[in-house]
Amino acid sequence: MSHSALSAVLADGPAVSPCLVLGDPTPDLSVEMARAAVGAGARLLEIEFPYSDPVADGPAIQAAVQRSLAGGTSTSRAFELLGRIAETCPGTPLNLLVYGNLVHRIGYECFAERAVAAGASTLLVTDIPLEESVPLRRACRRAGLGHVELAGPLTPAARLQRLAAVSSFVYLAGFQGVTGVRRGGFDAMLHRVAEVAEIVDVPLCLGFGLSERSQIVRAFGAGAGIAVVGSHLVRVVGDLYRTPSDADRLLSGYGAAVRRLISNG
Amino acid sequence: MSASPRPRQGAFGSFGGRFAPELLTPALEELETARREIVPTKAFRDELDREARAWVGRPTPLTRAPRFSARAGLETVFKREDLLHGGAHKANNVLGQALLARHMGKSRLIAETGAGQHGTATAMIAARFGMQAVIYMGEKDMERQAPNVRRMELCGAEVIPVTAGARTLKDAINEALRDWTASLSTTHYLLGTAAGPHPFPRLVRDFQAVIGREAKRQWRREFGGLPDVVVACVGGGSNAIGIFHAFVPEKSVRLVGVEPGGAGLDSGRHGATLVRGTPGLLHGARTMVLQDDEGQILEPHSISAGLDYPGVGPEHAHLQETGRARYVAATDEEALAAFEVLSATEGIVPAFEPSHALAFVLRARESGELPAGARVLLSLCGRGDKDLETYFALGRSPVRDRP
């Protein structure tokens, strides 16, 4: 899917983007979870490729990545699962979260082409920042894949503008730190969202730390166009899934958790 | 295969760069500014020199090793970094970075450690400067380097066990990076090796370069001319780049880095990143890494916790690519034998890390890796007290070469 699909989705108003790790807790179930999320109303999905050294991730996503790798989800397998998700969820833009070494290893061009072929719309490489992302962006452009840069609480205005100039959307980490659910500090974060929304002229995606509908509503009010919920949802997997007999419980629990983030009341 | 992307910041040829999450950019830029603006000042240099003498114990001597040399069949001279405060070359780097952190107004130091030498050095400098110290250490390393854990705690540092992955150095670095992302306004990440995102490889090299600078001057004065070969062990590579740096422009001097060959290069259980790795992105730099075909980082193996790392400083990758330095491996078994030989022939108990460099020298003449008559300068980068428990548990017999 081309990244223009993203604009189409956002034209209908701000969207919650549930995050999942490919292969967590099993390859098949991660595909089913994507379907459950869309069934629960998700219009966007955030898809993380499992990687041995996720330095930007906190404990919940680290655990998910470990479950996935332990189940044998290689990058090739991850692309295959991504393709199945794209088939299962037509019209849902898929943003990939990938660590640089996975992309570097098979080559930026090759990775971008495989991502597009599998149905991704955009790509955020967590540890390839603006200065080093020139060849990556070129590869994305050639392949027709949207590119996304990460920004943080301390990113200065001039740099935000440079990030926005090369991004399909800017992914703002709401908190300074690794991914994970936060308690408190939301007022400062919302202030920051409003400030960044004024500076960047592409959609603003807020991630890191969100776990409640009320936070998301306020983030949308402050100018966020996308709200990613990662660790909170990934933790549902660890909580609900122990053995294969837990599959139904996991899918209904995950769907319910997504629904609570999307609908009021 | 696409052309290798040349890093834009802090490149060493096609290696190096700043491949770190955007949230670390403010800290890395702040550090680079401090490196450029504070480190070259006379006030900083004077303070560094004063503390290096008074607290670290510089300069360290060059020691001839006649009985070891006879065993090797090569004249070998040691640069005695094992005599530094804390028992390893790590003190050079922690002093420089802690001084810089103080200038930057940071009150908290975090560090990763493998063998515990860098953690110990960090704990010691933090105590001296009255700073808070938090050390991340793999759980497996805490077991095999228990005395160092207690030393760090004695100096007032908090040692946090890391339970992810293989529970060794790589995992400790991941955890330190995570801490720093959240704490960068108050905290300096005192990285212990010449790896990581720019500016760390240069920052650490420049603080360790005193090893080679001093050795070169001493060699000229004591023996005349230059050594034919400079040898050092390589894990992340701070000790090796420290002794190599002054000799890189001296084309007559061969540079040899010795990596941990573990159970053997073909066993798959080793940490020989330069010898057997491929280019990748790890801990902020494009460098050589041990990885599978799809880019998952592999778990290394070495008897030496300080060399047990699947990456390496990017400048070594560059020195290898350009042919200026050569990298070889020595196995666990070779290192243990060299550990025994040095103890028995010179009365110096080396750490397991430099035992790899010693092992190379012991075999090099017979294997043809070095020519007869070559005069060798070897960085004896740490002493072996921390490894005694591990060594004795192996139940080996020491070398008896005298009546």
Side-chain angles (χ1 to χ4, degrees):
Chain A
M1 176 191 310
S2 81
H3 63 102
S4 57
L6 178 73
S7 324
V9 165
L10 293 183
D12 289 339
V16 175
S17 183
C19 175
L20 56 86
V21 176
L22 289 170
D24 173 44
T26 69
D28 290 343
L29 277 172
S30 64
V31 175
E32 290 303 310
M33 281 165 57
R35 191 212 298 270
V38 171
R43 293 183 289 134
L44 294 170
L45 288 175
E46 180 106 333
I47 309 277
E48 180 155 342
F49 273 49
Y51 176 58
S52 53
D53 293 83
V55 291
D57 284 307
I61 292 179
Q62 284 179 55
V65 165
Q66 268 173 7
R67 289 190 293 263
S68 170
L69 291 174
T73 304
S74 62
T75 302
S76 302
R77 193 77 203 274
F79 275 122
E80 182 205 318
L81 298 173
L82 177 66
R84 284 170 57 192
I85 288 174
E87 275 173 29
T88 306
C89 313
T92 308
L94 306 175
N95 179 45
L96 305 188
L97 281 182
V98 188
Y99 281 91
N101 198 47
L102 298 181
V103 185
H104 179 272
R105 182 65 170 141
I106 64 174
Y108 295 166
E109 284 83 4
C110 177
F111 194 98
E113 284 162 14
R114 287 177 74 176
V116 168
S121 60
T122 47
L123 171 67
L124 191 168
V125 179
T126 314
D127 49 354
I128 302 189
L130 184 64
E131 288 75 11
E132 305 289 4
S133 71
V134 178
L136 174 68
R137 282 184 260 141
R138 193 183 309 126
C140 288
R141 209 161 42 238
R142 281 187 190 152
L145 183 66
H147 174 79
V148 177
E149 293 274 354
L150 187 60
L154 303 174
T155 309
R159 189 171 174 85
L160 282 168
Q161 283 167 347
R162 291 171 57 208
L163 296 174
V166 300
S167 294
S168 297
F169 59 86
V170 167
Y171 189 124
L172 175 68
F175 291 89
Q176 184 68 34
V178 294
T179 57
V181 172
R182 300 297 198 290
R183 304 274 165 236
F186 280 94
D187 290 340
M189 187 195 73
L190 291 169
H191 182 75
R192 176 66 176 163
V193 170
E195 182 182 271
V196 175
E198 282 295 305
I199 296 168
V200 303
D201 52 8
V202 292
L204 177 60
C205 168
L206 177 67
F208 289 37
L210 301 176
S211 60
E212 292 168 18
R213 175 67 190 166
S214 59
Q215 296 164 346
I216 291 168
V217 170
R218 291 170 71 199
F220 287 159
I226 305 168
V228 173
V229 181
S231 297
H232 168 70
L233 286 174
V234 158
R235 235 171 27 188
V236 170
V237 182
D239 290 347
L240 295 184
Y241 187 84
R242 292 281 181 278
T243 69
S245 62
D246 296 328
D248 290 343
R249 191 163 74 115
L250 168 65
L251 293 174
S252 59
Y254 187 77
V258 171
R259 204 168 295 116
R260 276 195 295 278
L261 296 167
I262 289 177
S263 46
N264 289 309
Chain B
M1 190 69 197
S2 54
S4 60
R6 197 184 176 85
R8 306 292 164 119
Q9 298 176 295
F12 299 97
S14 69
F15 297 102
R18 184 181 285 166
F19 294 90
E22 175 65 20
L23 270 63
L24 281 174
T25 298
L28 295 167
E29 284 183 347
E30 183 187 12
L31 185 59
E32 172 62 355
T33 301
R35 185 180 81 91
R36 286 179 180 280
E37 292 178 0
I38 298 172
V39 174
T41 62
K42 185 169 185 310
F44 186 89
R45 308 303 316 183
D46 287 350
E47 201 177 3
L48 184 65
D49 285 350
R50 200 163 50 239
E51 284 289 302
R53 283 172 192 283
W55 187 75
V56 174
R58 300 220 72 88
T60 59
L62 286 190
T63 303
R64 280 179 192 261
R67 286 183 13 92
F68 177 88
S69 299
R71 282 291 276 252
L74 292 168
E75 192 188 340
T76 309
V77 174
F78 300 136
K79 178 60 174 167
R80 298 294 305 281
E81 296 301 291
D82 60 317
L83 295 177
L84 280 194
H85 182 47
H89 72 291
K90 296 296 187 187
N92 300 318
N93 173 45
V94 299
L95 170 62
Q97 285 198 51
L99 274 174
L100 193 57
R102 201 162 70 174
H103 278 277
M104 292 164 70
K106 311 285 181 185
S107 58
R108 179 173 175 266
L109 300 176
I110 56 173
E112 83 295 342
T113 198
Q117 292 302 100
H118 174 58
T120 298
T122 302
M124 287 172 167
I125 196 71
R128 180 163 174 85
F129 287 178
M131 298 163 101
Q132 189 191 348
V134 173
I135 314 296
Y136 290 95
M137 189 169 188
E139 218 172 32
K140 177 177 169 192
D141 291 338
M142 289 179 72
E143 285 159 22
R144 56 181 169 170
Q145 310 277 230
N148 269 341
V149 175
R150 292 194 286 271
R151 269 209 297 180
M152 287 183 260
E153 289 171 347
L154 188 62
C155 293
E158 182 187 358
V159 183
I160 299 185
V162 177
T163 56
R167 303 170 293 128
T168 59
L169 184 53
K170 171 188 74 129
D171 313 293
I173 295 178
N174 289 343
E175 214 47 49
L177 286 168
R178 292 182 184 118
D179 179 318
W180 201 31
T181 307
S183 64
L184 48 81
S185 58
T186 61
T187 299
H188 174 64
Y189 178 17
L190 210 167
L191 186 64
T193 192
H198 178 65
F200 280 112
R202 279 175 176 75
L203 183 70
V204 175
R205 177 199 67 198
D206 291 348
F207 289 136
Q208 291 293 4
V210 66
I211 305 172
R213 218 164 41 231
E214 234 175 62
K216 192 175 178 183
R217 200 165 53 229
Q218 291 166 317
W219 187 289
R220 200 163 265 155
R221 194 171 59 226
E222 293 174 35
F223 312 115
L226 293 164
D228 300 309
V229 189
V230 177
V231 180
C233 62
V234 179
S238 70
N239 138 70
I241 206 70
I243 197 161
F244 287 176
H245 190 60
F247 293 99
V248 167
E250 308 290 351
K251 300 297 180 205
S252 71
V253 180
R254 292 188 198 205
L255 307 175
V256 181
V258 186
E259 297 196 302
L265 290 178
D266 296 325
S267 70
R269 299 183 66 239
H270 60 79
T273 309
L274 289 160
V275 175
R276 284 295 173 94
T278 45
L281 306 179
L282 180 64
H283 294 149
R286 182 173 193 274
T287 185
M288 298 296 277
V289 300
L290 296 175
Q291 59 186 331
D292 71 13
D293 290 344
E294 295 198 322
Q296 303 293 350
I297 304 300
L298 299 173
E299 302 298 353
H301 165 80
S302 172
I303 190 160
S304 152
L307 304 182
D308 204 348
Y309 181 56
V312 67
E315 193 168 4
H316 287 296
H318 176 61
L319 291 173
Q320 175 173 260
E321 191 173 60
T322 58
R324 179 63 193 93
R326 189 158 58 99
Y327 296 86
V328 298
T331 63
D332 288 350
E333 179 54 39
E334 288 179 296
L336 285 167
F339 171 90
E340 288 161 345
V341 167
L342 188 67
S343 301
T345 57
E346 300 291 343
I348 298 171
V349 179
F352 282 169
E353 288 79 14
S355 296
H356 290 73
L358 294 161
F360 168 75
V361 174
L362 284 172
R363 79 175 188 219
R365 189 169 161 200
E366 205 175 305
S367 65
E369 290 168 281
L370 290 178
R375 295 188 308 167
V376 178
L377 169 65
L378 184 148
S379 179
L380 199 64
C381 59
R383 66 171 194 238
D385 310 47
K386 70 183 177 62
D387 296 313
L388 290 175
E389 263 182 38
T390 306
Y391 175 74
F392 292 133
L394 295 171
R396 295 168 61 102
S397 305
V399 172
R400 302 247 176 262
D401 70 335
R402 283 156 284 158

